[in-house]
Structures are given as structure tokens and as C-alpha cells.
Amino acid sequence: MSDSSRDTVEGAGWNAAERGEYRLLLPGRVEKLSWLNPRTLWAARNGVVASWFGDPTGRTRSRWAARQVAAGAPADRVIRRSEGDRFSFMVLGDTGEGDESQYAVVPGFLKVSQDTSFAVIASDVIYPVGSADDYGTKFFRPYQDYPAPVYAVPGNHDWYEDLAGFMRVFCDDAPSPEPEPEPRPRPLTRAWLRALLWHRPRPADEAAFAEARKLRAAPGQQAVQPGPYWAIDAGPVRIVGIDTGLLGTLDAEQGAWLREVSRGPRPKILVTGSPLYVDGEHHPCPIEGGGTVDDVVRDPAHRYVAAIGGDIHNYQRYPVEVDGRVVQYVVSGGGGAFMHATHTIPRVSVANVTEREFRCYPLRGDSLAFYSRLYGRRLRLPRFFALTEAEATAVVAERLGVPPVRPRTGPVRVTRRMRLVASLLGAGRRPDRNNRLRLPVRKLYTRLFSPGSATYSPPFFKSFLRLDVTPQAVRLRCFAATGARAQEVDPPVEDEVVIPLV
């Protein structure tokens, strides 16, 4: 087994001797997606519009769901597969930017996924707005050689065109249902402003879409899921996928379904577009009408053993004790989009999970080193901003008051410059220091200082999961994809946990 980032600098992908062969998989022309582009931000405006003027996705989802049932989908939305007691499946999150950072995941994913029964994409299949026209280069092409079915739960970006592209690809549905007849809203009301500003689905290039679908046309690759939320019964477990829409919530109809499908003694794994624990905080995910998704997960009668969410573009794991058992809360959003920083995560102390139990990838020191070099280039101040991996690791360890995860190769003196760079880039601190400023500063950093695009060079610090299921346990492993040839040939395991089912 190859070294991981927890073992060596080379295992993290730094100083790679050879770049990976993922570039051979890229289409001839790669459109660079930038979240600093005003046109991209305007196209993706529906999240902001919904938060200001009301979220209509519950009504749209209900129409999609009714149409699926009318077309023959099972009313309980359960996919019943024929796996035996032992099988494996893959999980990817936040995949579809269509550029080097997405394609860098593919060689390792294909290697690790051999003999798996299916894969699940958790959140944001397609960026920036979930358009059907983008599925060719951002879904069908990169995963054309994965021989098994791919299921998905949508993220907020898939909803920016009312889920039209997602439903066509994963649910074999026609373009978006017509809106319900409604009285014309009065001018200058919230409903009127929302209707005025709402970004609606664009007509797809049908010829190009049909050609793209041929890339995953083999019989073994086919599967039709019964809507944007579903459950899969496979072997000894039930996998429950929920659609958290634009704002990370559940409507009442889906909430009632979740409570019903969660009944019974069969062990369950939740897959969601919005993680329930992330960045050292608890986000239980409210359900319209009362209660939360985490209430359902924590109910011992439902027997959830893990909850895996996308949306945040890195890997995190929180083993939370609930009524004498441990539920593994996982963030798995490193499947292709630009990397969200981990160095901004403060010293973890949530739900009795501390730094000793918490895991993340990339390591905070690697994240800080990556961002310091990125902004050193962008601001043309590389001599000031850029930190080596050893320097970044040392200053993060000092700020958090914890020993470095990766063994040091020699002593490093933390200087005022290193501390200043860490502060400017939002590096996390101990909870007892600047506690009142910690959350606002981190949120400001996340909004203003994220890369904005994934057009940088390796290491990319991407990740994906493989889950091996037996009647006794689920073995969950997080594999790294850096863009370096060494990690393509032998993807390193960055984290591993065995989850008891008995």
C-alpha cells in the first residue's frame, strides 16, 4: 500500500515526479469554470433568490415525484437490488466541474471501484447550474468506463435549472414539468420578485445529449431511480438518499417519506446533499413542519450507522456517540470541484468528538500550504505568502495546540510572517482563543477566499469513498486523488473505519 498524506510529503502529492495520465481522458477543449465570473454567478442566482423571496423547490419536487409514480416508479421509492450479503459500492461527492480536478479522480476511482456493484454521487453532479448540456463532459465522459450503475442525490447546483437535467439523466424523465397554474402575483410582492428573477431551464441540445448518453449505454450501466430521493435495499443494508434542494432543507412530503422509509431494524446509511456535521459544527437539517433529519438518524429504532453528505469539497469524519452506539458522520465532497479549505476548521470539539477522533483530508497543513501558494501566485507575492508544507504544518499545529499529524523531518521555527499568512488565510484556532470572532471570520474567508475555480495544478487533494458491506460490518475507506501518477497507480487510503452492523 502506498504512503498517504499522513505518512509522507510525497504521499500527499507534493513534489510529484510524474503527473498523472488523467489528462489523456480530458476532452479536447476544456471550458474553465470560474466562480469569479459575473456571468456564472448570475446564472447560479436561484439559491440567493430562494433565500430572499421564498423557496419553491418543494412544490417542484412534489410535481417531479408525482410524475415519476404515474410513470411506474415504486410508490415507496425503494430500489431493490439483488446483491448478496457481501457487496461493495462507491461514493463520490460534488463531481462535475469538467476540468482537470474532476478528471484527476477518474483513474484512481476506476482502479479502486473494480468489482463494486454501483456508485452514488452525493450532491452537485453538474456545475454551475445542472444544465443537461453539461452532462456530456461532466458525467458521461469521465465515468464512461465505470461498468456499474450510478445513482445520485442532487445538490443545490443541480437545482439551479429546476432539476431538469438531473431528472433526465438519473430518472429517465422528460424535460421539466410545467409550473402549476397560479394566480399572477401582485407586482412588487416577494412572489412577483422571485418569478421575475428566477433562472429557468434552457432547452437542451438534443442531438448532443443523445450522443453523450451513448458513452454509458452498456446494459450493466443502466439504472433508473424513482426520483431525486430514494432508498436502495442491497444485501444487509438500506441506503437512503435525500434531496436537500437549494437551501439544505427537506419539505414536509419528503420528510414524511424519510420517517417512513427509516422504520425497521435493517441497518441504514444516509446519503445527503448537505452534511449533518461539518467544519466542527452541527447542522441537523430542518424538515418543514418540525423536526430535523438528524432526529431521524439518531432515533435508535431506525438503526442508522452512518450519514454521508456532499456540498463541502473535502473529506471529514465525526464519530458521534448516540445512545451508546456510534454514528459515523462523514463529509465526502472531494469528487471533482475546487477544494474547500480544511485549515479553516478550528480545533474540533463538537458532540464529544475531539481532535483525537476527528479526521479530515487534506490535512490542515497541506490545505494551508496549498492556499498560501495559490494566493502567492494570484497576488504576485509568492515570497511573502507561500509556505512550505513543513511551515504550514508547524503553524497550524501551533494555532490548534495539537501535534502535527505527519511526522516532521526536522525542526521548524514558526515566524511572525508564517503566523500572519495563516491569519490572513483564515487558519483555525483553539476554541478558547478569539472564540467570538472565529465563526464570522471563517465564514468571511469561505466566501471571499475560496479558489473560485479549479484551474490550478496538482496536488488537487481530491477524494472518494469505497464501502465494503458484510452482514457484520461496513468497511469505509477514503482514497486520495492528487493528480500525480504515483497516486493514480496506487491510490492511498487517507482514512479507514469499520462500522459494526450487529
Side-chain angles (χ1 to χ4, degrees):
M1 183 180 295
S2 63
D3 286 344
S4 74
S5 69
R6 304 179 75 86
D7 301 316
T8 64
V9 170
E10 291 73 23
W14 296 110
N15 310 319
E18 183 183 0
R19 203 159 179 176
E21 295 184 358
Y22 67 88
R23 290 177 295 171
L24 301 176
L25 306 174
L26 287 161
R29 180 178 177 274
V30 177
E31 182 180 354
K32 295 181 179 180
L33 173 62
S34 174
W35 292 104
L36 303 178
N37 186 329
R39 292 179 60 186
T40 302
L41 293 173
W42 177 243
R45 64 188 178 271
N46 280 2
V48 175
V49 173
S51 65
W52 287 354
F53 304 117
D55 183 5
T57 55
R59 294 194 301 273
T60 304
R61 184 187 295 111
S62 181
R63 293 196 297 274
W64 280 122
R67 196 156 86 172
Q68 287 294 110
V69 172
D76 62 2
R77 307 192 178 281
V78 178
I79 304 163
R80 293 171 174 87
R81 295 185 56 88
S82 58
E83 275 76 24
D85 285 344
R86 298 172 183 271
F87 76 99
S88 303
F89 69 101
M90 305 295 291
V91 176
L92 289 157
D94 300 84
T95 53
E97 285 208 358
D99 47 23
E100 288 200 28
S101 70
Q102 178 181 7
Y103 279 80
V105 177
V106 174
F109 170 81
L110 293 176
K111 188 176 183 70
V112 172
S113 67
Q114 294 177 20
D115 76 7
T116 56
S117 298
F118 56 88
V120 177
I121 297 179
S123 179
D124 293 340
V125 182
I126 300 294
Y127 293 96
V129 296
S131 170
D133 287 342
D134 287 334
Y135 270 86
T137 57
K138 300 178 181 181
F139 176 75
F140 291 111
R141 183 184 181 97
Y143 312 120
Q144 61 183 310
D145 292 327
Y146 179 63
V150 178
Y151 302 97
V153 294
N156 55 317
H157 289 270
D158 300 304
W159 268 102
Y160 288 163
E161 285 201 350
D162 287 344
L163 216 60
F166 181 98
M167 294 297 294
R168 293 194 69 180
V169 171
F170 294 101
C171 305
D172 201 23
D173 209 323
S176 181
E178 291 297 319
E180 291 178 338
E182 295 180 355
R184 185 185 297 273
R186 289 180 298 165
L188 302 181
T189 60
R190 296 173 76 229
W192 181 84
L193 289 168
R194 184 180 66 211
L196 179 68
L197 295 172
W198 199 254
H199 175 86
R200 302 192 181 280
R202 298 166 294 179
D205 183 334
E206 295 298 336
F209 185 74
E211 195 66 25
R213 294 198 82 147
K214 294 178 182 178
L215 296 173
R216 281 188 51 84
Q221 295 174 315
Q222 305 311 303
V224 177
Q225 62 188 54
Y229 58 94
W230 42 261
I232 299 174
D233 281 350
V237 300
R238 170 170 284 184
I239 303 159
V240 179
I242 59 173
D243 169 17
T244 53
L246 281 170
L247 303 181
T249 61
L250 263 63
D251 61 276
E253 181 179 306
Q254 185 182 181
W257 170 86
L258 174 64
R259 293 183 176 103
E260 180 63 31
V261 82
S262 298
R263 297 181 190 275
R266 191 173 194 157
K268 299 174 186 71
I269 298 170
L270 182 73
V271 179
T272 168
S274 299
L276 303 181
Y277 281 88
V278 60
D279 294 347
E281 299 171 355
H282 184 208
H283 297 268
C285 187
I287 298 174
E288 182 184 18
T292 69
V293 169
D294 203 28
D295 292 338
V296 177
V297 170
R298 287 170 173 266
D299 189 329
H302 295 158
R303 291 203 62 195
Y304 277 92
V305 297
I308 303 171
D311 188 51
I312 302 301
H313 308 165
N314 53 45
Y315 172 81
Q316 301 173 43
R317 180 169 64 86
Y318 302 81
V320 177
E321 185 174 341
V322 180
D323 296 326
R325 61 197 173 94
V326 174
V327 178
Q328 299 289 342
Y329 291 88
V330 176
V331 179
S332 182
F338 70 84
M339 182 192 83
H340 278 134
T342 58
H343 67 263
T344 58
I345 303 172
R347 180 168 174 168
V348 170
S349 179
V350 59
N352 292 320
V353 178
T354 67
E355 284 292 321
R356 183 173 181 175
E357 299 85 22
F358 171 69
R359 293 292 184 271
C360 70
Y361 176 78
L363 299 178
R364 290 176 173 107
D366 288 330
S367 172
L368 179 58
F370 172 87
Y371 272 73
S372 72
R373 296 180 186 194
L374 174 71
Y375 277 95
R377 291 195 303 268
R378 287 192 174 177
L379 300 175
R380 298 185 180 182
L381 295 170
R383 295 183 64 183
F384 173 75
F385 260 95
L387 302 177
T388 68
E389 310 83 57
E391 290 172 337
T393 297
V395 72
V396 164
E398 179 188 82
R399 290 174 71 88
L400 296 179
V402 297
V405 174
R406 186 163 58 226
R408 290 179 176 176
T409 56
V412 177
R413 185 175 68 89
V414 178
T415 65
R416 293 175 63 184
R417 178 187 72 89
M418 292 158 56
R419 294 188 181 104
L420 178 58
V421 170
S423 295
L424 290 173
L425 294 180
R429 304 196 72 164
R430 284 172 280 184
D432 59 337
R433 301 183 66 179
N434 292 341
N435 193 50
R436 289 187 299 173
L437 297 177
R438 176 172 57 84
L439 182 59
V441 168
R442 192 166 76 254
K443 288 185 174 179
L444 178 66
Y445 173 84
T446 301
R447 293 174 182 173
L448 298 182
F449 290 93
S450 286
S453 66
T455 56
Y456 39 80
S457 300
F460 293 113
F461 296 114
K462 300 290 93 188
S463 58
F464 55 91
L465 307 182
R466 175 175 169 132
L467 289 87
D468 302 301
V469 182
T470 71
Q472 293 77 34
V474 176
R475 180 191 186 196
L476 183 153
R477 285 176 290 169
C478 172
F479 290 86
T482 66
R485 178 63 177 155
Q487 280 85 42
E488 281 187 354
V489 173
D490 189 9
V493 177
E494 290 293 336
D495 187 33
E496 178 174 355
V497 62
V498 175
I499 307 170
L501 295 183
V502 185

